[in-house]
Amino acid sequence: MSATTNIISKVFHFYTDGFKSMPNWGRQLWWIILLKLFIMFAIFRLFFFPNYLKSNFDTDTDRSQHVIEQLTDPNNSK
């Protein structure tokens, strides 16, 4: 467990030290990338990709059955 924690700590320090020693334009570029990812995954998902399973099926069993049918039925081309 200690070796795993040590490796995780080394990886964490590797990235934090790299970020700290990065030039100012590099940090600004990373913030733009993070903002873009947030917009893509949070905002777009919220407005453009509704949760099809939650809106069309009431229970988890119905949802899982639908997913299994979609994945295992080769004739279903929807």
Side-chain angles (χ1 to χ4, degrees), residues 1-60:
M1 186 71 177
S2 177
T4 305
T5 306
N6 193 17
I7 290 172
I8 292 171
S9 175
K10 285 181 179 179
V11 169
F12 178 75
H13 287 295
F14 173 78
Y15 282 104
T16 56
D17 291 343
F19 193 77
K20 287 177 184 175
S21 64
M22 186 180 297
N24 195 25
W25 62 268
R27 282 189 220 143
Q28 289 176 344
L29 185 63
W30 271 108
W31 285 116
I32 290 171
I33 291 169
L34 292 175
L35 178 66
K36 185 177 177 179
L37 288 173
F38 172 75
I39 290 171
M40 284 174 47
F41 288 106
I43 305 297
F44 285 171
R45 185 182 185 280
L46 183 68
F47 291 112
F48 298 115
F49 302 108
N51 192 342
Y52 175 77
L53 292 175
K54 191 159 248 176
S55 61
N56 290 330
F57 300 99
D58 294 331
T59 63
D60 286 340

